[in-house]
Amino acid sequence: MNKIAEIFTSLDYGPAPESPDLALAWLAAHENRFGHFIDGKWTKPGKTFASENPATGKKLADVTDGTAEDVDAAVKAARAAFPKWSALSGYERGKYLYAIARLIQKHSRLFAVLETMDNGKPIRESRDVDIPLVARHFYHHAGWAQHRDREFPDHVPYGVCGQIIPWNFPLLMLAWKIAPALAAGNTVVLKPAEFTSLTALLFAEICEKAHLPRGVVNIVTGEGDTGAAITGHPDIDKIAFTGSTEVGKIIRKATAGTGKGLSLELGGKSPYIVFDDADIDSAIEGLVDAIWFNQGQVCCAGSRLLVQESIEDRFLEKLKKRMSTLRVGDPLDKAVDIGALVAPVQVARVTDLVKKGVAEGGQLYEPDIDIPGGGCFLKPTLISHVSPANTVASEEIFGPVLVEMSFRTPEEAVALANNTRYGLAATIWTENVNLALDIAPKLKAGVVWINSTNNFDAAVGFGGYKESGFGREGGKEGMASYLKPKWEKELKPFKATAAATASSRPRNPLEDSTPPGVDQTAKMYIGGKQARPDSGYSRPVHGPSGALVGEVGDGNRKDIRNAVEAARAALGWATTSAHNRAQILYFLAENLEYRAEEFAARIKAQTGEDGAAEVAASVERLFAFAGWADKYDGAVHNPPQRMVATAMVEALGAMAILAPPSRPLLGSIALVAPALAMGNTVVLVPSEKSPLSMTDFYQVLETSDVPAGVLNIVTGESRVLAKTLAEHDGIDAIWFAGDAETSKMVEAASAGNVKQTWTSRGLYYDLADKLKFEGDYFLRRATQVKNVWIPYGA
């Protein structure tokens, strides 16, 4: 039998190596030694570190370890380039992005080979997935550049963007960051990961060939200190980071109070849910892609297999058989399925976690296949019958390791899927379309794939919930991350009046005499009921002349705990139809208007100002967001695949809102109304100085069909309560309107669970301005977008 006949009989793979010669020649042309790309020029190499091929351990090149001075030079170049670049027409910027896309396609094989050599991923993945998607992002955003002003009227670019990317998709992450930033009119300073800097440096040459203006794109290589210099640089206007949740929390703290824009795409522990009616063979092929694509070094990897109990044994038997056919080897071999992990330190980390998973009761399976020696290779690994409490069920492994557990009912599947601090992606396999579309909205993840996995496109936003970060990359929401309202750049510091400023001196609780008549100390409002403060203390409320006009409870940590528990118990508010939420907001407006004179008098007593206009504005604001409740919705994207991706606009969850000291009624209503309209539940801390308008408002709540726990009101000292709320893991987002110092504290303290924040930073936001605040500004901040990918056709 001849050789070809033998191959057809055995169906054994033969080697199909990709030549590294052109990539090696490119490295040699640079003498295998690189400086930074700053202001359109190459700097001389400084102190360097080695970039190695993880499949062989051999050094590819020496890369400069950027200093704070290097970062400063890059930021100055980007700042100098910003005025001219942002002043170009969208069409002119789009032409540059189009040129970059064409040049990437023209040199796609060089990029693919270099990426594989530097990162260790199989050439089939870099050639067929990564590089085409890179070009797609620049093409897509060339169009956004031209249509920016039409789709984002009265918005402007941030300015200089600092961007830090990881090593698992080196060039693709670069495209996700740079393409929208340039389309929006920003200039950038980008730091690639220290393990994988080479394709970013090759991209710098593409920028040269495209004649991109000097300073628009700057590439600074380096290790952790280089990234810290970028996040801490005072002249950078926005930070975009992709990487671990732990580092993301550090960046959130470092940028607190600076006013920098921030988007974080962090870790994940994504569930891969297989129901008993699924096409098992298709689900297993999808699973191979979900967890062993890029050696499992994927933030959205389907690393938690949840399989229905009735098919568990059969599914695992087939899965193990499929695992035994996977080929681990030279990433430049086009017949290889699994390449090398990025570095020895990653191999050690993954190995340690596997040992821990087995020690905690998991059942280990590794196929009897060969792996090369001398490189960073691991076998595909399955740890089955894992408990939800097992370390490997909760920690991101970031390697070719799948953990498995079973479920019985769809409700249990959802509970297990959401039993994680992460919320990046999820996969559902079922032949029942009703079941799939019932489960998808219940999963707390920014991306859901139905009967498919690892679908990405420039037209579809990608990003997470919870500790997987915030902000989106791709799609319209990704463009929005690189723009801000023009008027925000013109805000002035808030000048507090005596009527809107709480005294900071120590208070004697008995120094104020109670107003004549029956005591009417206002209670808090928690879980649909009036509640006395846990502290047992009350706070006086003075009018502008200093006269005592009332008292309110002095809230503490326990009151906040009770309010957060009530808000979380009421999260079903988000599943109430938008029409019903609108009706209830209309009822609030109607019942507030019935009592307009009473509320106006209360405002005058607290502030000395005529409250009629403020009450009227509050009624109008409730009407406005009642009108938005069933109109602020998503879209259906049209990616190149035979799929639709539905962008679902969802509530953030339980929100904390700390109202500004001024405008005792409108200051709260302007923030609470958009949050409630979008389905969030709220813990409100009203104006510290003038809280009586909102303690009166709970009487309106009680007559307007507002479900218990949807709006909870805790009075007290704003700064103290803000800290408790910012640190509380039961709060999903926090808005604070007040001084700069407390704003900074709120942003830093929110890093604990990476909650989304909006703070006024001591600036004056005129919440009475209908054009600015009756629409998208707070609606966008009260929501997050989930993209659900649905295949169609044969």
Side-chain angles (χ1 to χ4, degrees):
M1 187 181 290
N2 63 33
K3 184 71 172 176
I4 294 176
E6 288 178 6
I7 292 172
F8 273 101
T9 300
S10 67
L11 295 181
D12 286 339
Y13 286 99
E18 177 77 31
S19 172
D21 291 348
L22 288 179
L24 292 172
W26 179 79
L27 292 169
H30 288 269
E31 300 179 342
N32 297 80
R33 191 174 176 84
F34 292 88
H36 310 299
F37 183 70
I38 297 175
D39 200 23
K41 297 172 288 188
W42 292 92
T43 67
K44 290 182 179 180
K47 178 185 175 183
T48 62
F49 56 88
S51 184
E52 297 176 346
N53 184 334
T56 65
K58 295 180 179 179
K59 184 170 74 172
L60 295 170
D62 288 309
V63 179
T64 296
D65 189 9
T67 64
E69 291 75 18
D70 295 326
V71 169
D72 190 55
V75 173
K76 286 179 179 176
R79 179 62 64 196
F82 173 68
K84 287 186 178 180
W85 176 252
S86 59
L88 289 177
S89 70
Y91 167 63
E92 291 295 331
R93 289 197 308 277
K95 285 199 297 183
Y96 283 111
L97 290 168
Y98 179 82
I100 290 171
R102 293 288 290 123
L103 286 164
I104 288 168
Q105 285 183 316
K106 192 174 180 179
H107 300 284
S108 60
R109 190 51 75 77
L110 173 60
F111 272 112
V113 173
L114 188 63
E115 192 82 312
T116 287
M117 293 171 65
D118 201 23
N119 169 274
K121 66 176 62 187
I123 185 66
R124 286 188 298 120
E125 295 177 8
S126 54
R127 180 196 66 192
D128 299 341
V129 179
D130 290 24
I131 308 307
L133 264 176
V134 170
R136 162 73 172 148
H137 270 266
F138 281 99
Y139 277 129
H140 179 79
H141 287 93
W144 269 122
Q146 191 163 359
H147 298 303
R148 182 199 74 182
D149 294 342
R150 184 175 294 106
E151 291 297 311
F152 298 94
D154 300 317
H155 278 65
V156 293
Y158 274 90
V160 177
C161 296
Q163 303 177 324
I164 303 170
I165 59 175
W167 42 259
N168 55 341
F169 293 92
L171 192 66
L172 184 55
M173 294 294 102
L174 176 150
W176 281 16
K177 296 283 190 292
I178 288 182
L182 298 194
N186 301 281
T187 55
V188 304
V189 176
L190 180 135
K191 187 194 92 67
E194 57 266 32
F195 290 135
T196 53
S197 300
L198 298 182
T199 48
L201 296 169
L202 176 56
F203 176 81
E205 287 197 4
I206 292 296
C207 292
E208 287 183 296
K209 291 182 180 296
H211 302 291
L212 191 70
R214 288 170 46 181
V216 171
V217 168
N218 304 273
I219 307 292
V220 180
T221 56
E223 299 184 331
D225 288 345
T226 312
I230 290 174
T231 59
H233 199 287
D235 202 29
I236 285 180
D237 302 298
K238 175 183 167 64
I239 297 292
F241 171 77
T242 297
S244 72
T245 295
E246 289 68 29
V247 176
K249 291 179 179 181
I250 293 170
I251 291 173
R252 168 70 281 187
K253 291 179 181 178
T255 58
T258 63
K260 288 182 170 69
L262 181 63
S263 52
L264 300 172
E265 197 265 281
L266 307 176
K269 193 69 178 176
S270 300
Y272 190 99
I273 308 169
V274 183
F275 288 97
D276 58 7
D277 66 344
D279 179 337
I280 292 180
D281 292 329
S282 295
I284 286 175
E285 287 306 307
L287 185 56
V288 168
D289 184 38
I291 183 57
W292 293 302
F293 175 65
N294 199 19
Q295 298 72 253
Q297 298 170 132
V298 183
C299 53
C300 58
S303 56
R304 285 191 298 144
L305 170 62
L306 308 179
V307 59
Q308 198 150 17
E309 189 176 78
S310 57
I311 62 167
E312 182 182 20
D313 292 342
R314 184 157 54 105
F315 189 94
L316 292 180
E317 181 183 354
K318 285 196 168 195
L319 175 60
K320 291 174 182 178
K321 185 176 180 180
R322 179 67 177 92
M323 289 172 67
S324 70
T325 68
L326 295 173
R327 293 169 61 87
V328 181
D330 178 6
L332 283 175
D333 185 344
K334 292 184 280 291
V336 157
D337 299 301
I338 300 176
L341 275 70
V342 74
V345 66
Q346 189 66 11
V347 174
R349 181 181 185 276
V350 172
T351 302
D352 287 346
L353 280 168
V354 169
K355 291 178 181 177
K356 184 174 287 188
V358 174
E360 293 178 359
Q363 298 179 21
L364 177 67
Y365 172 77
E366 291 180 341
D368 185 17
I369 58 177
D370 295 327
I371 63 173
C376 299
F377 295 97
L378 287 175
K379 291 181 180 182
T381 301
L382 168 67
I383 306 176
S384 60
H385 302 90
V386 167
S387 161
N390 193 308
T391 300
V392 294
S394 59
E395 291 298 314
E396 185 177 32
I397 299 175
F398 226 65
V401 181
L402 175 68
V403 299
E404 181 270 342
M405 61 190 81
S406 64
F407 65 89
R408 292 183 178 179
T409 65
E411 292 76 17
E412 186 181 2
V414 171
L416 286 170
N418 290 337
N419 183 34
T420 173
R421 62 192 176 108
Y422 300 109
L424 191 52
T427 302
I428 302 169
W429 282 86
T430 174
E431 292 297 288
N432 185 338
V433 65
N434 292 320
L435 178 61
L437 297 180
D438 175 57
I439 297 297
K442 296 176 180 177
L443 299 177
K444 300 303 181 185
V447 181
V448 177
W449 295 298
I450 294 176
N451 290 340
S452 59
T453 196
N454 277 346
N455 292 299
F456 308 100
D457 186 61
V460 184
F462 179 86
Y465 287 12
K466 300 191 289 188
E467 292 192 31
S468 289
F470 48 79
R472 293 293 181 265
E473 301 193 83
K476 186 172 184 178
E477 53 267 38
M479 268 294 290
S481 294
Y482 284 93
L483 294 163
K484 64 189 301 183
K486 184 178 181 180
W487 54 263
E488 269 199 339
K489 290 196 169 188
E490 301 164 355
L491 290 172
K492 305 297 183 186
F494 175 70
K495 295 181 179 179
T497 62
T501 305
S503 173
S504 59
R505 66 180 176 85
R507 180 173 61 85
N508 178 353
L510 298 179
E511 71 176 303
D512 298 297
S513 59
T514 304
V518 178
D519 178 64
Q520 296 181 351
T521 301
K523 298 182 180 69
M524 300 177 187
Y525 191 68
I526 297 174
K529 299 177 182 178
Q530 299 179 37
R532 292 184 175 86
D534 172 73
S535 68
Y537 289 104
S538 60
R539 300 176 62 86
V541 180
H542 296 104
S545 66
L548 186 68
V549 296
E551 294 179 284
V552 295
D554 195 5
N556 65 11
R557 181 177 294 272
K558 187 175 178 181
D559 297 312
I560 292 296
R561 183 200 68 184
N562 294 339
V564 173
E565 287 179 356
R568 297 210 69 82
L571 287 175
W573 173 248
T575 62
T576 302
S577 74
H579 169 74
N580 283 344
R581 293 200 303 271
Q583 284 293 110
I584 288 173
L585 287 171
Y586 280 129
F587 293 159
L588 285 171
E590 179 183 343
N591 289 326
L592 177 59
E593 191 169 43
Y594 284 153
R595 302 173 61 178
E597 290 185 7
E598 173 190 339
F599 274 84
R602 181 69 96 173
I603 291 171
K604 186 174 180 62
Q606 295 173 100
T607 67
E609 299 172 5
D610 183 7
E614 184 175 339
V615 175
S618 299
V619 171
E620 185 175 352
R621 196 62 54 92
L622 286 165
F623 256 76
F625 287 107
W628 274 119
D630 60 357
K631 299 175 185 64
Y632 193 76
D633 47 27
V636 178
H637 299 304
N638 184 29
Q641 301 94 318
R642 285 181 62 79
M643 294 184 170
V644 292
T646 61
M648 301 175 60
V649 176
E650 296 188 335
L652 297 175
M655 293 180 61
I657 295 178
L658 295 104
S662 59
R663 295 198 171 97
L665 182 63
L666 181 62
S668 290
I669 296 297
L671 301 177
V672 167
L676 297 186
M678 294 297 98
N680 299 282
T681 58
V682 172
V683 176
L684 170 71
V685 178
S687 166
E688 179 181 339
K689 179 68 176 178
S690 307
L692 294 174
S693 295
M694 291 310 296
T695 56
D696 289 348
F697 190 73
Y698 64 59
Q699 299 168 24
V700 178
L701 296 175
E702 291 175 334
T703 59
S704 302
D705 297 338
V706 179
V710 168
L711 178 56
N712 306 275
I713 301 171
V714 178
T715 53
E717 187 177 346
S718 289
R719 179 177 176 82
V720 172
L721 298 180
K723 187 173 188 296
T724 301
L725 286 162
E727 293 173 341
H728 202 300
D729 285 345
I731 290 293
D732 301 300
I734 182 167
W735 294 352
F736 173 79
D739 65 275
E741 182 182 357
T742 307
S743 294
K744 179 179 180 179
M745 179 273 292
V746 164
E747 292 175 4
S750 73
N753 68 341
V754 200
K755 58 173 61 71
Q756 298 194 39
T757 66
W758 173 85
T759 66
S760 64
R761 296 178 292 112
L763 301 174
Y764 179 59
Y765 284 75
D766 183 6
L767 295 177
D769 190 325
K770 294 186 289 186
L771 291 177
K772 292 185 177 75
F773 300 118
E774 271 193 2
D776 177 77
Y777 186 79
F778 282 121
L779 290 171
R780 183 162 64 87
R781 288 159 178 79
T783 54
Q784 52 196 349
V785 176
K786 171 189 291 179
N787 279 286
V788 180
W789 291 70
I790 307 169
Y792 65 85

